[in-house]
Amino acid sequence: MSVPIAGVGMTPFGKHGELTARQLFAEAALEAFEDAGIGPNDVDEVFYGNFMGEFAEQQGHSGPLAADMAGVTAPSTRIESACASSGAAVRFGVNRVRSGEVDVALVGGAERMTNISTAEGTAALAAAADALWEIKQGITFPGAYSLMAQRYFHEHGGGREDLAAIAVKNHQNAVENDLAQFQRAIDVDDVLEAPTVCSPFGLYDCSPMSDGASAALLVSEEFAEEHGLDPEVAITGTGQSSDRLALADRVSMTSTPAAERAGEAAFSEAGIEPEDVDVAEVHDCFTIAEVLALEALGFYEQGEAISAARNGETTIDGDLPVNLSGGLKAKGHPVGATGGAQISEMTKLLRGDHVNSDAVADAEVGITHNAGGTVASCVVNVLEVVS
Ligand code: COA
């Protein structure tokens, strides 16, 4: 069952100084209300994604707080699924509207990360890994994904130049996106010569620490009709899956079955195949993550997506443009806001009011892929033009 997206909102991602996550969410929600042409009193339920509020702001229990800041008195729950928190919040909203119990769901998320040091942020993010078997051994997320990249090179070939092409592509896509943290083009040499973060990753293989928020208003078709709304884009399929948290407990370090299962479920609900997808926003927290996502979603066989960006297949003028927002790499990655931001950017891309919409003017079907940890959680949503 299709769930129309009546409105979306998103703060610029980047450094927001003294602004708290609650203030950022209020900004994104206000924009979504204006976009939809409805108000806080219309909302029946709120699902708010946030991962590290306790670490960065000493703030837990942020569901009611987020609703209050958006002027909403309806029930509100925080959804925590690491970097997939707001993708999961979107999915909860979709399913509540589909259940018929809710006509309007406000979904999205926020994160504040730059008010703490990189070292503190790295420790906070590491809590999304297995405390017993990974964190105690000193694993960090750049470390975990670099192990996956090394293993991928070992099993399938490819190298740093292939990953560099992904960073170059995503930075290029963000150049005109005012909401992106980095609006500057880089070239392959910039990537290869950047300081090493964790081999094989340099600075430009990594998403940054970011502040920001995202929001979307999901409505029932009956509500849209009764209120004279005419949403152009709807969520037509949603899927979520989980995997073992620790990399060492997995059968393979170079495949992401949670994303495979989430993708299959979302595609099946929407009644589409991978070849029907015109444009994709995928979770490129590190360059290798984009490769793993494209393979898990069935766009490429295992071991083949590594050269997709380098061959121009996923660039803005390629067969399947990927991360036209700039992705997490260049748009930024305030973790609890990211899944909702993918919905906001994809909605605009399909409606024709995104700065990169012209590149996908005929696009009818878009997908978002939002992952938590080393893809121990994954949410995939299918968005389609419906009017
Ligand atoms: N890409 C491009 N530029 C970046 C960047 C990134 N990922 N991160 C920081 N920069 C830039 C900054 O804008 C700054 O530029 P300036 O000097 O022109 O102002 C410069 O690099 C230094 O920034 P700083 O914040 O001091 O970098 P850092 O070395 O402390 O942190 C990383 C860089 C990559 C280690 C950090 O961003 C990181 O840990 N990223 C991964 C986050 C993560 O794990 N997320 C969860 C994913 S699962």
Side-chain angles (χ1 to χ4, degrees):
M1 184 178 146
S2 149
V3 175
I5 302 171
V8 291
M10 181 183 152
T11 66
F13 282 3
K15 292 189 179 179
H16 279 286
E18 294 304 307
L19 285 185
T20 57
R22 68 178 81 174
Q23 288 170 300
L24 293 166
F25 184 68
E27 198 180 313
L30 186 65
E31 192 188 329
F33 286 128
E34 281 171 6
D35 190 35
I38 59 176
N41 291 337
D42 292 311
V43 174
D44 297 315
E45 194 151 2
V46 181
F47 295 102
Y48 171 74
N50 177 261
F51 172 58
M52 48 186 265
E54 286 87 348
F55 296 97
E57 299 188 287
Q58 291 77 51
Q59 184 64 66
H61 202 188
S62 49
L65 189 61
D68 185 34
M69 292 306 287
V72 175
T73 52
S76 178
T77 308
R78 168 186 173 183
I79 305 291
E80 189 277 295
S81 198
C83 303
S85 294
S86 54
V90 170
R91 183 174 149 78
F92 270 92
V94 168
N95 284 335
R96 288 291 285 154
V97 172
R98 281 175 169 176
S99 78
E101 288 181 44
V102 159
D103 273 319
V104 180
L106 172 63
V107 296
E111 206 75 66
R112 190 178 184 201
M113 300 171 79
T114 73
N115 60 317
I116 54 178
S117 68
T118 299
E120 289 167 328
T122 302
L125 288 164
D130 186 318
L132 210 49
W133 299 109
E134 291 184 316
I135 304 174
K136 279 194 179 150
Q137 319 307 321
I139 203 91
T140 63
F141 273 94
Y145 273 92
S146 73
L147 289 171
M148 294 165 94
Q150 296 285 20
R151 185 71 202 177
Y152 188 102
F153 294 163
H154 173 74
E155 286 179 17
H156 303 298
R160 286 206 65 205
E161 288 80 0
D162 298 296
L163 297 182
I166 296 168
V168 169
K169 166 179 76 67
N170 293 347
H171 267 259
Q172 183 60 45
N173 288 343
V175 167
E176 302 288 335
N177 185 357
D178 289 339
L179 299 175
Q181 185 160 352
F182 302 120
Q183 289 183 255
R184 62 169 193 274
I186 54 171
D187 61 26
V188 169
D189 287 340
D190 292 326
V191 183
L192 299 181
E193 290 163 14
T196 299
V197 172
C198 190
S199 178
F201 298 150
L203 181 69
Y204 291 110
D205 288 282
C206 307
S207 58
M209 303 286 184
S210 318
D211 310 318
S214 60
L217 285 157
L218 309 177
V219 299
S220 65
E221 286 178 343
E222 297 74 28
F223 181 92
E225 201 175 313
E226 277 165 23
H227 291 76
L229 311 180
D230 190 18
E232 291 167 64
V233 174
I235 296 182
T236 57
T238 182
Q240 179 173 357
S241 192
S242 306
D243 199 357
R244 290 173 172 153
L245 211 62
L247 272 181
D249 286 337
R250 305 227 184 118
V251 175
S252 160
M253 283 173 67
T254 58
S255 61
T256 52
E260 287 168 25
R261 291 189 287 264
E264 279 165 14
F267 288 9
S268 155
E269 275 192 8
I272 62 161
E273 300 289 335
E275 48 270 27
D276 298 319
V277 175
D278 299 309
V279 55
E281 287 286 312
V282 305
H283 196 97
D284 60 325
C285 49
F286 299 94
T287 43
I288 190 68
E290 180 166 311
V291 176
L292 301 177
L294 294 177
E295 293 177 2
L297 294 170
F299 298 121
Y300 288 87
E301 295 294 327
Q302 252 215 306
E304 290 183 4
I306 184 77
S307 51
R310 205 171 173 186
N311 292 342
E313 293 155 14
T314 51
T315 50
I316 192 164
D317 52 358
D319 287 345
L320 177 68
V322 175
N323 285 328
L324 287 183
S325 67
L328 283 54
K329 169 74 266 302
K331 180 174 90 260
H333 184 26
V335 290
T338 285
Q342 291 177 324
I343 298 293
S344 182
E345 295 279 39
M346 184 57 77
T347 301
K348 290 181 185 171
L349 279 162
L350 293 175
R351 288 194 313 207
D353 57 343
H354 190 278
V355 70
N356 284 331
S357 281
D358 284 352
V360 284
D362 299 327
E364 298 273 330
V365 183
I367 59 128
T368 62
H369 157 285
N370 182 207
T374 45
V375 203
S377 309
C378 191
V379 182
V380 175
N381 286 304
V382 178
L383 282 70
E384 293 188 60
V385 176
V386 287
S387 76

